[in-house]
Amino acid sequence: MLTNKQIGFIGGGAMAEALIRGILHAGLVMPSQIAVNDVSTERLGYLRGTFTVSTTLDSQEIARQSDILFLTVKPQVINGVIDTIAPVVAKTTVVVSVAAGVTIAAFQGKMPGVPIIRVMPNTPVAVGEGMSAMALGKYATTAVSEPVAEVFASVGKVVTVNEDTMDAVTGLSGSGPAYAFVLIDALTDAGVRVGFSRQTAVLLAAQTLMGAAKMVLETGEHPAKLRDMVTSPGGTAITGVHVLEQNGVRAALIDAVVAATNRSREMGRR
């Protein structure tokens, strides 16, 4: 679906790098079909040397030549980017924003008729295991969105959601890696407490969580059923689960997602 498409990135940071790596690794396009804009010549030099993509300091040049234009910049600079590129973006260009909290309406008001797609990816896209949620603007048809979904699928999983759930996406999958890192860190400390070296403990903890997540995704079974498969009567796992329930770990995780969702809503109203 990306054959003969020109892909542009305004913003050459970690997100752009992850997407470029995923696109090229999956063989979706050739390096010659990718161009990147950034304010840092050093960063552009790194991307050009690493991926042999073309680079430029001129964001309007990228906007003019791209069939799919990724805006991979921080939310605090997105308004300036929109103002700069809006006069030159064609109605055939698909504009994809990963700027948290910036609504489709903010783009559509300055780029009427242009297909806009808002995406919330999370940081594991850097290792090809991200979770991305896409919300489609008024002019972003299925035919328009499928190539974009293909790009994000190259760095993990992708789902399409209504834009009004984007704050919830931020609270769950966007902020979710932070919760997972807390769990891994806590399990690592537990491993050290029961006698392992920290290096061994972090490996045991991280691989265990990764394996459990993979079982959920690949078997399609409910997590509770998989838990029941581990918890034999009177055994060690059910004893541990009992302690987690006594200490409100499940409720704490639910509360964390709700609090992060509400915080995302607050930030979006600024």
Side-chain angles (χ1 to χ4, degrees):
M1 286 186 287
L2 291 167
T3 305
N4 300 323
K5 298 284 188 184
Q6 289 297 316
I7 299 176
F9 290 87
I10 295 180
M15 182 58 64
E17 181 178 351
L19 292 175
I20 292 168
R21 180 176 284 109
I23 290 168
L24 296 178
H25 185 262
L28 300 181
V29 300
M30 301 296 292
S32 59
Q33 294 172 251
I34 299 175
V36 188
N37 159 259
D38 197 87
V39 296
S40 169
T41 55
E42 181 179 356
R43 184 63 182 169
L44 292 179
Y46 165 78
L47 294 171
R48 188 168 57 248
T50 303
F51 300 112
T52 65
V53 297
S54 62
T55 61
T56 178
L57 292 168
D58 187 346
S59 59
Q60 286 192 335
E61 179 186 347
I62 292 281
R64 284 191 192 95
Q65 70 183 25
S66 299
D67 297 305
I68 302 175
L69 179 63
F70 290 89
L71 305 184
T72 44
V73 297
K74 300 294 186 184
Q76 55 265 35
V77 302
I78 193 70
N79 286 331
V81 170
I82 297 172
D83 290 340
T84 299
I85 67 172
V88 300
V89 173
K91 286 183 171 59
T92 54
T93 298
V94 183
V95 175
V96 183
S97 169
V98 301
V102 184
T103 65
I104 291 172
F107 292 92
Q108 213 75 82
K110 295 183 179 180
M111 292 185 278
V114 174
I116 308 294
I117 298 177
R118 179 182 170 190
V119 185
M120 171 55 70
N122 62 13
T123 55
V125 296
V127 292
E129 292 294 348
M131 183 67 241
S132 301
M134 303 194 319
L136 309 183
K138 179 180 179 180
Y139 304 100
T141 62
T142 300
V144 163
S145 67
E146 283 181 350
V148 175
E150 193 174 7
V151 168
F152 284 96
S154 74
V155 290
K157 305 290 186 184
V158 58
V159 295
T160 301
V161 300
N162 294 326
E163 189 182 18
D164 60 8
T165 66
M166 272 298 190
D167 291 312
V169 169
T170 301
L172 180 54
S173 63
S175 304
Y179 316 148
F181 296 143
V182 169
L183 291 173
I184 291 170
D185 192 37
L187 288 171
T188 298
D189 282 348
V192 174
R193 176 66 179 82
V194 296
F196 294 110
S197 70
R198 185 159 295 276
Q199 182 179 15
T200 298
V202 73
L203 175 62
L204 287 166
Q207 179 62 34
T208 296
L209 285 186
M210 185 171 74
K214 192 170 184 179
M215 283 187 71
V216 172
L217 292 173
E218 293 195 358
T219 66
E221 297 286 1
H222 193 285
K225 181 176 180 180
L226 294 173
R227 180 205 58 205
D228 288 348
M229 291 168 59
V230 182
T231 51
S232 55
T236 58
I238 192 60
T239 301
V241 169
H242 182 204
V243 173
L244 292 177
E245 297 290 3
Q246 282 183 319
N247 285 275
V249 171
R250 181 192 300 267
L253 288 170
I254 293 171
D255 289 347
V257 172
V258 172
T261 298
N262 291 336
R263 179 57 178 156
S264 180
R265 290 194 182 110
E266 290 171 5
M267 293 173 69
R269 287 195 290 266
R270 289 182 177 179

